[in-house]
Amino acid sequence: MPDVQTQQQQKITIRLPDGSERTHPTGATGYDVAEDIGAGLARDALAVKVNGEVRDLQRPIEEDADLEVLTWDDAEGKMVFWHSSAHLLAEALEALYGDVKFGVGPPIEDGFYYDVDFSDSGRDAPSSEDDLAEIEEKMQELAARDVPYEREPVSKDEAMRYFTEKGAPYKQELIEELEDGTITFYRQGEFTDLCRGPHLPSTGAITYPKLLSMAGAYWRGDEDRAQLTRIYGVSFPKKKLLDEHLEMLEKARERDHRKLGRELELFTFSETVGAGLPMWLPKGTTLRETLEGFLQQEQLERGYEPVVTPHIGRLDLYRTSGHYPYYRDSQFPPILEGEDEDGEEQGYLLKPMNCPHHVMIYKNKLHSYRDLPVRLAEFGTVYRHEQSGELGGLTRVRGFTQDDAHVFCTPEQVKAEFKDVIDLTLKVLDALDFDAFEAQLSFRDPDEAEKYVGGAEKWDAAEDAIREAAAEMGLVAQEEVGEAAFYGPKLDFMVQDALGRAWQLGTVQLDYNLPERFDLEYVGADDERHRPVMIHRAPFGSLERFIGVLIEHCGGDFPLWLAPEQVRILPVGDDFHDYARRVQATLREKDLRATVDDSDATVGYKIREAETQKVPVMLVVGGREEEAQTVAVRRHGSGEQDTQPLDDFAEALAEEVEAQMRGS
RNA sequence: GCUGGUGUAGCUCAAUCGGCAGAGCAGCGCUCUUGUAAAGCGCAGGCUGGGGGUUCGAGUCCCUUCACCAGCUCCA
């Protein structure tokens, strides 16, 4: 029996997120603490966070600590749940497929995966839905045993011995890179895995696993190494959560811009025209040109000057810029005309970027420091031969139009120009009600100075200027070291599509390289020649990708000012077609895009059609309306109707469009 | 580019073991002349992505090619 004194020393103090403190014996587990707080919490607890480190619930706590109990409602709680699910998947695969070699199996944002090599297993790698269902069933069966996940610290030698005996080359490679003393195994039932953890107390919680898809994935992300089969899944503690998740995936598919683009007749692709070459249908073109007009107006107000350049340029242009042949793999093959007297290939290249052309416009005349900044803007279409497996919808294409502009300025003007572009980009995103974006600053890796053009002082000054510009504009931006292009630091705006994939939209990039290569100059106040700095910027990025993401963002319900068809007039019968046309003319006078449905369908049918095609405003007109010179207004998505005098309505609607474009 | 999957009418999908390619919607024609989410009848619509092979016979099996989908790699 220990004396009182020792017992005192064996107490630890646990501080909870709300600031309250509890005393527990040394070696109490996270589960003990959760249970002490409440039985409900203990039941829901998945893991604990001890002094900022996520740990197993049943791991003893040896000293005073800040502690947070993690449940399904915490992102980190879900991660533990899914990580444990990945181990369960591995165990199921081993049970069903025998000698499989495991790569890594981490949790991800919305589920988990495991990379597996099936080449030595007794049967073919899983490929069908049925195979996945079989694995799922096995997982459920294994989970039902409700065995604990046991943590076991091992030495590097022990770890290596275990996986060598097992014949697990990928695991051996992972162990080689770990430091002795930091290695742990986790074991559930018959299955042991190299793993940092943490994990759930036991398998029983994973009652609803769902395997979603399979795909190849290179070992360690290196395309020169073996390709493993990656199995993606997700899992839930309750059926309701699984159902909700599947429903959410279904809804995401409904928002997919490829589906909506076809249904709303915005754009199309043709195998005969070529992969990744979108064709804009009349409605999509209207949408696109409305966006272009909006941006162009903004840019004119900010001192941008419009330019237009051709879609091709001589190879020499791209030799000077460095695009040819350096990026040859991602360019369409050049149009060759033969060799010059020096044996150099001559010909033309479809332009992969607009900048070389804009640079030549800058060089058209000698610029004074008084001219700067020179801002040349063009909706410039470029062509890049993206890898075939990369193409998809409008988000990754081979021919696309950038809302491109190049700013030529002095180093001192960089910060102000960045601020203006940030302001413009935020204004554009705001007008489109786009709030779910992230900003990323990409800086150089100072340890690899040789990878970048321009001296360290230049880069430091530029990175400071950009960082300050973002801060002064109230833009929260993540800084990524080593992500800069070789020619300069940049600021990107990232968004996610309906399926949660991240895409880069807007970009602002500083460039030290092209001014050098093209020997750009301006005459300073000192009457000497100086080198300007160049900024590439595109608030939308590419119109194709931007519109693709925009479609998914609003689910095809475009704001009134952007809707290709803003108003559809629905006469109740033939006798009212004339009045319908008069209504249309009145709206068109106000620059509103209005059509008349003069088919012989019933009113109910016409309404259904207009609703399905997401036309924002429907006007039903018949005898009553013609008599009183009114329209019966119905808005998309709302069954309500409201009769208004025609002229008042046209006026009000035009004002609504105006207000939206002003961003209010 | 890589791994896996999928290609049937404009769209969404059927077609048992290899045995006559089918439906709904859309389209067109006729009837109806309509009052807030699908009127009725009829007609037409296909080289089953392309090419090759196996077979008495291929949408179905094999090879090849193209496109699309998921992921990986790449993304000036």
Side-chain angles (χ1 to χ4, degrees):
Chain A
M1 184 103 177
D3 66 16
V4 176
Q5 190 68 27
T6 324
Q7 218 165 26
Q8 286 280 317
Q9 285 170 348
Q10 286 181 337
K11 293 275 181 191
I12 53 170
T13 304
I14 300 294
R15 189 165 40 252
L16 300 173
D18 66 359
S20 67
E21 295 188 350
R22 282 164 189 263
T23 309
H24 286 271
T26 301
T29 66
Y31 183 80
D32 296 334
V33 178
E35 199 171 37
D36 184 40
I37 298 169
L41 185 63
R43 198 173 54 236
D44 291 343
L46 300 174
V48 285
K49 201 168 178 179
V50 180
N51 292 331
E53 183 199 359
V54 184
R55 288 196 195 169
D56 303 317
L57 265 186
Q58 53 292 58
R59 191 161 156 199
I61 303 164
E62 308 291 351
E63 68 276 306
D64 292 355
D66 288 325
L67 183 144
E68 190 183 339
V69 177
L70 299 174
T71 68
W72 183 260
D73 295 327
D74 302 292
E76 287 161 313
K78 283 194 184 78
M79 286 292 154
V80 171
F81 194 90
W82 286 330
H83 196 174
S84 298
S85 302
H87 281 226
L88 194 63
L89 166 61
E91 186 179 4
L93 288 171
E94 206 162 64
L96 291 170
Y97 287 81
D99 189 12
V100 292
K101 313 261 186 277
F102 293 108
V104 292
I108 51 176
E109 204 170 307
D110 44 23
F112 59 88
Y113 66 79
Y114 220 116
D115 284 346
V116 191
D117 183 341
F118 288 94
S119 52
D120 290 336
S121 86
R123 51 191 279 201
D124 289 341
S127 58
S128 66
E129 298 265 322
D130 289 347
D131 293 337
L132 288 184
E134 183 195 4
I135 301 165
E136 248 169 54
E137 243 171 74
K138 186 52 117 179
M139 285 174 75
Q140 275 176 311
E141 184 191 318
L142 294 172
R145 296 167 314 169
D146 196 18
V147 296
Y149 286 93
E150 292 167 291
R151 181 174 187 274
E152 182 193 344
V154 292
S155 73
K156 193 164 177 171
D157 284 347
E158 284 174 89
M160 195 55 98
R161 203 173 320 122
Y162 177 83
F163 281 108
T164 306
E165 264 171 40
K166 193 179 174 185
Y170 305 109
K171 294 292 179 188
Q172 289 174 46
E173 185 175 330
L174 293 173
I175 292 166
E176 254 163 45
E177 290 164 28
L178 294 175
E179 217 165 290
D180 202 1
T182 65
I183 301 173
T184 51
F185 280 180
Y186 272 83
R187 176 171 302 133
Q188 91 267 10
E190 302 298 302
F191 180 76
T192 300
D193 203 353
L194 170 73
C195 187
R196 188 184 301 122
H199 282 281
L200 299 176
S202 71
T203 59
I206 307 170
T207 39
Y208 293 96
K210 178 77 191 167
L211 299 181
L212 298 167
S213 62
M214 279 159 303
Y218 300 106
W219 170 238
R220 318 219 87 176
D222 183 344
E223 62 180 320
D224 293 327
R225 305 198 60 180
Q227 193 163 35
L228 311 181
T229 302
R230 177 170 295 178
I231 300 180
Y232 284 91
V234 66
S235 59
F236 298 91
K238 290 182 188 143
K239 177 129 197 334
K240 180 162 159 275
L241 292 168
L242 170 62
D243 291 343
E244 277 171 12
H245 184 78
L246 294 176
E247 194 180 323
M248 193 204 69
L249 289 179
E250 186 57 40
K251 280 201 178 126
R253 276 192 283 274
E254 288 295 315
R255 284 206 318 275
D256 192 314
H257 75 276
R258 292 166 293 198
K259 179 175 157 71
L260 286 168
R262 184 169 55 238
E263 289 172 357
L264 302 181
E265 297 182 9
L266 300 174
F267 55 86
T268 188
F269 289 89
S270 154
E271 203 175 317
T272 312
V273 170
L277 300 172
M279 284 168 289
W280 292 85
L281 302 173
K283 285 180 183 171
T285 305
T286 302
L287 170 64
R288 176 182 158 130
E289 289 186 345
T290 304
L291 275 174
E292 284 183 358
F294 167 70
L295 185 60
Q296 187 149 43
Q297 187 58 39
E298 279 294 326
Q299 292 187 158
L300 289 176
E301 287 169 17
R302 288 164 192 263
Y304 286 83
E305 301 176 280
V307 295
V308 173
T309 61
H311 288 218
I312 63 174
R314 281 166 50 88
L315 289 178
D316 279 342
L317 175 69
Y318 297 103
R319 287 195 178 104
T320 304
S321 71
H323 292 123
Y324 184 86
Y326 188 61
Y327 292 106
R328 187 162 206 156
D329 286 349
S330 45
Q331 291 163 356
F332 279 92
I335 304 158
L336 294 174
E337 291 189 317
E339 298 175 358
D340 65 9
E341 56 271 25
D342 300 327
E344 186 128 80
E345 282 287 0
Q346 293 299 310
Y348 294 86
L349 194 65
L350 269 169
K351 69 177 175 187
M353 301 196 87
N354 299 302
C355 27
H357 287 78
H358 289 187
V359 163
M360 296 318 288
I361 290 178
Y362 178 85
K363 277 172 80 86
N364 176 54
K365 66 177 186 183
L366 184 58
H367 291 273
S368 152
Y369 72 97
R370 296 169 191 274
D371 299 338
L372 304 185
V374 169
R375 307 181 186 91
L376 304 178
E378 173 179 20
F379 291 100
T381 305
V382 297
Y383 300 89
R384 300 181 189 177
H385 196 266
E386 303 287 358
Q387 293 185 18
S388 56
E390 253 319 314
L391 301 173
L394 290 180
T395 43
R396 197 72 185 268
V397 290
R398 284 180 171 164
F400 57 96
T401 302
Q402 298 176 313
D403 55 333
D404 211 357
H406 294 93
V407 179
F408 302 86
C409 63
T410 67
E412 294 72 37
Q413 290 169 329
V414 163
K415 183 172 157 186
E417 288 304 305
F418 258 78
K419 284 176 74 172
D420 187 63
V421 174
I422 293 169
D423 185 59
L424 172 62
T425 306
L426 293 178
K427 181 163 184 182
V428 166
L429 292 173
D430 186 54
L432 294 163
D433 215 14
F434 237 115
D435 42 17
F437 63 87
E438 283 176 20
Q440 179 182 315
L441 291 166
S442 297
F443 293 157
R444 77 193 189 291
D445 182 351
D447 295 337
E448 296 190 82
E450 70 286 354
K451 274 171 58 178
Y452 306 97
V453 301
E457 322 81 62
K458 270 188 176 176
W459 275 81
D460 283 337
E463 291 179 0
D464 286 346
I466 296 171
R467 187 185 288 118
E468 284 168 23
E472 286 171 31
M473 296 306 296
L475 184 71
V476 181
Q478 198 177 327
E479 293 190 13
E480 295 288 341
V481 170
E483 288 293 306
F486 74 90
Y487 53 78
K490 59 177 182 167
L491 166 63
D492 294 323
F493 291 83
M494 321 285 289
V495 296
Q496 290 192 348
D497 68 10
L499 299 174
R501 295 174 291 205
W503 297 99
Q504 179 197 305
L505 292 182
T507 184
V508 201
Q509 310 186 359
L510 203 58
D511 188 343
Y512 295 117
N513 182 43
L514 286 184
E516 206 64 46
R517 283 178 164 270
F518 281 96
D519 195 24
L520 300 186
E521 294 179 328
Y522 66 92
V523 179
D526 55 4
D527 200 30
E528 296 290 321
R529 304 260 170 145
H530 299 276
R531 184 79 75 213
V533 175
M534 203 175 149
I535 298 171
H536 310 253
R537 45 106 282 175
F540 291 152
S542 102
L543 283 161
E544 283 74 10
R545 179 178 292 179
F546 188 88
I547 291 172
V549 175
L550 175 65
I551 290 167
E552 303 196 350
H553 180 73
C554 66
D557 290 329
F558 298 110
L560 182 66
W561 72 279
L562 272 181
E565 186 182 355
Q566 295 172 312
V567 182
R568 187 176 296 182
I569 302 150
L570 315 175
V572 301
D574 293 358
D575 294 347
F576 311 107
H577 285 187
D578 286 347
Y579 181 60
R581 302 230 173 272
R582 217 151 60 238
V583 171
Q584 182 186 34
T586 304
L587 294 168
R588 281 184 170 171
E589 260 170 48
K590 301 275 184 196
D591 289 328
L592 293 162
R593 298 182 286 271
T595 59
V596 175
D597 183 348
D598 56 7
S599 68
D600 59 1
T602 59
V603 174
Y605 187 85
K606 290 179 180 181
I607 289 194
R608 185 185 152 80
E609 283 284 285
E611 288 283 0
T612 308
Q613 288 167 36
K614 302 176 186 290
V615 180
V617 178
M618 288 150 276
L619 300 178
V620 178
V621 296
R624 296 200 290 272
E625 287 75 20
E626 181 167 16
E627 184 73 21
Q629 294 292 295
T630 57
V631 286
V633 185
R634 175 185 169 120
R635 293 271 181 160
H636 171 61
S638 130
E640 292 166 33
Q641 12 176 337
D642 173 30
T643 299
Q644 292 181 33
L646 171 60
D647 291 333
D648 293 0
F649 172 76
E651 184 77 23
L653 201 65
E655 271 173 30
E656 196 176 325
V657 170
E658 264 305 298
Q660 284 183 352
M661 291 190 73
R662 281 196 307 270
S664 53

